[in-house]
Amino acid sequence: MTPPAPPPDGAAELLFVGNATLLIRYGTLTLLTDPNFLHRGQYAYLGKGLMSRRLTEPALPVSEIPSDLDAVVLSHLHGDHWDRVARRRLDRSLPIITTPHASRRLQGVHGFSRATGLPTWHDHVLVNDRSQVRITALPGRHAPGRWQRLLPPVMGSLLDFGAPGAPPRLRVYITGDTLMFPGIHEIARRCPEVHLAVVHLGGTRLPGGLIVTMDALQGAGLVRVVRPERVLPVHYDDYAAFSSPLSAFLAETRDPDFPSEVVRCPRGERVTVNAQGVLQAP
């Protein structure tokens, strides 16, 4: 198969596979986020006896992930972000940039020898030929208060794309499965000029009603704090545990004071963005 042409200079192409899974290409670099390839009707294991049924099909099977994949960026070790298909089918020598908690388990239990755990605000640089990405772990909180011990630690990711040794040309913030909490304000202070924020939504509801990912109101609140130039919503309709639909978030964004342009990219579609705007949309 002929490899696809790289995106335009300074731009990233994002293919939305489903849930929080994106295939991102920038120059000669290719990244995969939160790989989730379960089929409709299968259950994702969330730990502590919790499970959720998938309602959709992934837009891409794991067999079609490019062989030249440079790394996986994994926000946390949950079955709808790192599933049994990814665990069995991805190359165990593949670099995985994730939380310290996830890296220990991936290395020690599953044999992914190049899993790298990043403490918050630490970074890791990947270079492929003339393209570079600096991945910085950002604060995230998957549950309020004492409920945090039920869920694995989570990180957001700041992806600074550019040429090796040069200032970044494109800055992408991926929220991970977080709620609104003071760490989001710290991100806003320390990470200005975000060109695109990929926002995990869905209002994931555990038994008893506890919300552990942002619903529409919280997602819009995060955007108002971080103020990215553009926002791409993901993680909103793939699992039965989600309680807040995409339409509710879009209703929030119609406020005339909403600070960001909404980028729509349905499952299976691609969008190409650079620092100035959207170059190609579905």
Side-chain angles (χ1 to χ4, degrees), residues 1-7 13 23-32 60 62-72 89-91 93-95 114 126-129 131 133 270:
M1 181 183 297
T2 303
E13 178 196 81
L23 190 65
I24 305 175
R25 295 194 304 132
Y26 180 93
T28 51
L29 280 166
T30 304
L31 304 177
L32 182 69
L60 193 73
V62 69
S63 59
E64 293 184 17
I65 295 300
S67 59
D68 61 350
L69 185 65
D70 289 286
V72 170
R89 298 290 299 277
L90 291 178
D91 188 334
S93 66
L94 184 66
R114 298 177 69 189
L126 296 168
V127 177
N128 184 330
D129 193 17
S131 301
V133 61
R270 291 174 168 84

Side-chain angles (χ1 to χ4, degrees), residues 9-12 26 161 168-172 193-196 229-230 272-279:
D9 188 38
Y26 180 93
F161 292 102
R169 298 185 63 183
L170 178 66
R171 171 167 280 190
V172 178
E193 298 181 4
V194 171
H195 300 119
L196 176 70
E229 294 179 19
R230 285 160 291 282
T272 302
V273 299
N274 64 10
Q276 289 71 48
V278 177
L279 302 182

Side-chain angles (χ1 to χ4, degrees), residues 157-222:
S157 301
L158 187 70
L159 309 181
D160 280 321
F161 292 102
R169 298 185 63 183
L170 178 66
R171 171 167 280 190
V172 178
Y173 166 38
I174 303 176
T175 67
D177 279 12
T178 189
L179 298 170
M180 277 296 290
F181 77 113
I184 303 301
H185 293 268
E186 187 177 6
I187 292 171
R189 289 193 300 270
R190 296 176 62 160
C191 305
E193 298 181 4
V194 171
H195 300 119
L196 176 70
V198 178
V199 179
H200 292 204
L201 299 169
T204 307
R205 190 182 298 274
L206 299 185
L210 182 70
I211 297 291
V212 296
T213 66
M214 291 183 293
D215 59 12
L217 192 60
Q218 286 202 44
L222 178 144

